[in-house]
Amino acid sequence: MRIRPARPGDLDGIVELETAAFPPEDCFPRRSWRRLLTRPSAVVLVTAGPLDGSIAWLLRDGTTVARMYSLAVHPRARGQGLGRQLIAASLRRLPRHLDRLSLEVRRDNGPAVGLYCAVGFVETARLRDYYGSGRHGIRMTARRDSVATMLHIRP
Ligand SMILES: CC(C)(COP(=O)(O)OP(=O)(O)OC[C@H]1O[C@@H](n2cnc3c(N)ncnc32)[C@H](O)[C@@H]1OP(=O)(O)O)[C@@H](O)C(=O)NCCC(=O)NCCS
C-alpha cells in the first residue's frame, strides 16, 4: 500500500480511523490532530487511497529522540503487515540526527506491544496509571538503526 505525508485535508479521515481503531477513551482529540497536521515539528503519514493507516512522530528541539505520538491500522486492514510498513515508511522521513525512538503504549495492548517488540523496541519503564486509573502503560525505546535492520531498510 502506498504511504504519503498527511495533509490538513486528511483531518476527517484520521479522526474516523482513530475512532475505528481505538476505544473512545484512547482517542486523541480532533483539535490535537488539527494542530499536529500543521506543525513542522511532526512527521505524520497516512495510507493513500482508503485511509486505513496512520502514524505520527513528534520531533522536539534539543533531543535526538523521536517520540511516536500515534499508530493506527483500521480493523479491516490488520494482520497484513501495514503496521510494519507504516513504521518503515516513517523512519525514512525522520530527520537524520534522530537516532533513538521512544513510545508509550498500554501494557495490555498485545498487538501493539507485539509489533513494537518484533521491530526491536524494548520496555524501558513501567508507567503506572499512565492512561488513567488502573490503565497502566509502558515506555518502549529502540535505536533507530536497530529498527531499520529489523525492517530490512536503510537506517
Ligand atoms: C497495533 C497495530 C497498529 C498493528 O497493526 P497491523 O497492521 O495489524 O500489524 P502488522 O500486520 O504489521 O503486524 C506486524 C507484527 O506485529 C505483531 N502483531 C500484530 N498483530 C498482533 C496481535 N494481534 N497479537 C500479537 N502480535 C501482533 C506481530 O509480531 C506481527 O508480525 P507477524 O505478522 O510476522 O507475526 C493495530 O493492531 C492497531 O491499529 N491497533 C489499534 C491501535 C493501537 O493500539 N495502536 C498502537 C497504540 S500505541
Side-chain angles (χ1 to χ4, degrees), residues 51-104:
L51 209 163
D52 278 350
S54 70
I55 189 165
W57 293 89
L58 299 180
L59 324 173
R60 276 170 305 163
D61 285 343
T63 168
T64 58
V65 182
R67 179 165 171 240
M68 191 190 288
Y69 177 77
S70 174
L71 169 64
V73 171
H74 196 285
R76 67 183 164 226
R78 287 185 191 159
Q80 301 164 42
L82 187 50
R84 247 184 237 273
Q85 278 183 58
L86 285 160
I87 295 175
S90 61
L91 280 203
R92 293 194 194 96
R93 290 176 180 268
L94 292 178
R96 298 293 330 156
H97 70 283
L98 300 174
D99 60 0
R100 294 193 61 84
L101 310 173
S102 168
L103 60 86
E104 290 83 34

Side-chain angles (χ1 to χ4, degrees), residues 19-47:
T19 307
F22 288 97
E25 67 274 16
D26 289 347
C27 288
F28 287 112
R30 185 183 175 86
R31 66 176 179 283
S32 303
W33 279 110
R34 186 184 297 114
R35 260 204 313 270
L36 206 70
L37 287 172
T38 52
R39 186 173 150 165
S41 55
V43 169
V44 187
L45 302 182
V46 293
T47 54

